[in-house]
Amino acid sequence: MPFINDRLEESREVAGLEQGTRAKERPSRFRFDPARVMQRLRERIVGQEDVLNAMEAMLHVVKADIGAEERPLAVNLFLGPTGVGKTETVRLIAEAIHGRSDALCRIDMNTLAQEHYAAALTGAPPGYVGSKEGHTLFDIEAIQGSYSKPGIVLFDELEKASKEVVRSLLNVLDSGQLVLSGGTRRIDFRNTLVFMTSNIGATDVVAYRSTFEQGWRRWLRLVPRKEARVQQQALYRHFDPEFLNRIDRLLTFEKLDDSWWSFLLDIELAKLDKRLAKQQVTLQLTDGVRHWLCESRDARFGARDLARRLRVTLEPALAGAMLQYPEKNTFQAQLREQHRLVVLPT
């Protein structure tokens, strides 16, 4: 890996510590601060405390640099329904460590649904066009990272890839290396945080939970107690045991209940406020608008549905008001008769 500049910087820092004051914590080659990463995650990921605790523990192990040298730094599989923060968690980790949310190699596994698409990851077999060049979808620089910062790779929607594609990852998870089919190139994942996401079992859990929301179970107020087992059964039906056995953490993101929607709205509004600041514009929402945005969303699609509502209802109304009143810098969103959303200058 091209880590020489980072190693020189590390040597200078260590020398400076020896000549100056004693360091308050054990020196580490990784320069990120786990506490700052977790602060960023807890600001944006809600209702997933167990997952965040697991991420904090993972970051401490990586920071201490005590993991096995012949494997990736960590291998995590995120499970759960859509719109609960699986992909967003990886983006936020990349942003906190590298300064950019896109500083990772993201592979959309839904584009690799056919068996022959395994060549998109491992390269064309010998004798086929492109075999000598060793072409691959992997962003090698983003995967390998640097001496002071780990690389990050995300395999998104893992269950939608063909089984041959998934099997091609076995060596990556086991030995931390992938030899491309041509045999002339090798991709090193041993300095990499590997993340995978999957919706596998989510529909089974929804169906299982629905049986407790109707009929005699509902009247007796019984609660489902085997959701984790239902999801685990779906997981082992779809993936080979030898693949799952190479994963460090199987983490389930919970479905977001109604108590979190106000927090999610604040998160989405903060993103909008950041974009409006570039136009020197501020936006205020009445309580009625906040309630309407939270109550009218479709819970099946999680936070994505709330973000979509802002894009197709609030943002067009705001844009129209900004164009109609270009001299104004402060606007307020209001609800009128028949829940008609209007934005007016204040």
Side-chain angles (χ1 to χ4, degrees), residues 276 279-282 318 321-332 343-346:
L276 292 177
Q279 307 290 336
Q280 298 181 334
V281 170
T282 58
L318 173 61
M322 290 172 60
L323 295 175
Q324 186 176 358
Y325 306 99
E327 72 283 359
K328 300 294 184 179
N329 298 99
T330 304
F331 297 85
Q332 185 182 77
V343 177
L344 298 172
T346 59

Side-chain angles (χ1 to χ4, degrees), residues 88-330:
E88 183 69 4
T89 295
V90 184
R91 289 197 184 109
L92 290 171
I93 291 175
E95 181 181 319
I97 292 178
H98 293 280
R100 302 187 347 263
S101 61
D102 62 347
L104 56 92
C105 174
R106 178 182 177 185
I107 306 294
D108 290 317
M109 302 299 274
N110 58 8
T111 64
L112 305 176
Q114 304 298 323
E115 290 185 7
H116 61 272
Y117 285 155
L121 298 181
T122 61
Y128 285 79
V129 175
S131 61
K132 295 182 178 180
E133 291 80 359
H135 293 305
T136 174
L137 287 178
F138 287 122
D139 181 341
I140 298 178
E141 183 176 346
I143 287 173
Q144 294 183 341
S146 66
Y147 181 72
S148 59
K149 293 181 180 180
I152 299 175
V153 61
L154 169 62
F155 299 99
D156 224 355
E157 299 186 297
L158 183 69
E159 78 282 0
K160 296 181 180 178
S162 77
K163 292 187 179 297
E164 289 301 319
V165 171
V166 175
R167 290 192 187 104
S168 71
L169 301 178
L170 287 176
N171 284 339
V172 170
L173 306 186
D174 195 35
S175 65
Q177 298 186 69
L178 177 67
V179 178
L180 300 186
S181 296
T184 59
R185 298 179 65 193
R186 183 187 302 266
I187 304 177
D188 198 329
F189 289 78
R190 290 175 294 179
N191 193 57
T192 309
L193 300 175
V194 177
F195 295 95
M196 298 172 282
T197 70
S198 175
N199 297 330
I200 195 75
T203 55
D204 295 336
V205 170
V206 170
Y208 173 73
R209 186 186 294 126
S210 66
T211 63
F212 290 82
E213 297 174 352
Q214 54 190 342
W216 62 272
R217 292 182 179 88
R218 177 186 176 188
W219 293 111
L220 292 178
R221 297 183 178 180
L222 297 178
V223 295
R225 299 183 182 277
K226 300 180 181 179
E227 292 184 2
R229 185 183 301 178
V230 170
Q231 186 172 62
Q232 187 179 58
Q233 289 173 346
L235 192 66
Y236 277 88
R237 281 197 305 268
H238 189 85
F239 295 110
D240 296 333
E242 57 267 31
F243 175 77
L244 295 175
N245 199 34
R246 286 166 167 80
I247 298 173
D248 299 326
R249 299 170 189 83
L250 296 169
L251 301 174
T252 299
F253 282 66
E254 301 296 334
K255 179 183 176 182
L256 298 173
D257 57 38
D258 293 342
S259 63
W260 292 111
W261 290 104
S262 181
F263 291 95
L264 291 171
L265 179 60
D266 289 335
I267 291 172
E268 294 302 326
L269 289 175
K271 297 177 186 178
L272 176 58
D273 288 340
K274 188 175 181 180
R275 300 195 298 271
L276 292 177
K278 298 177 182 179
Q279 307 290 336
Q280 298 181 334
V281 170
T282 58
L283 174 66
Q284 303 168 351
L285 270 63
T286 64
D287 291 340
V289 172
R290 288 184 60 92
H291 181 77
W292 177 70
L293 287 171
C294 290
E295 289 298 317
S296 301
R297 46 66 183 169
D298 190 333
R300 293 175 301 173
F301 301 109
R304 283 195 178 93
D305 185 66
L306 187 59
R308 183 163 47 245
R309 286 191 61 78
L310 265 64
R311 289 196 299 269
V312 301
T313 59
L314 181 60
E315 290 183 14
L318 173 61
M322 290 172 60
L323 295 175
Q324 186 176 358
Y325 306 99
E327 72 283 359
K328 300 294 184 179
N329 298 99
T330 304

Side-chain angles (χ1 to χ4, degrees), residues 63-74:
K63 176 74 172 181
D65 199 16
I66 59 173
E69 295 182 355
E70 69 278 3
R71 298 186 72 249
L73 296 173

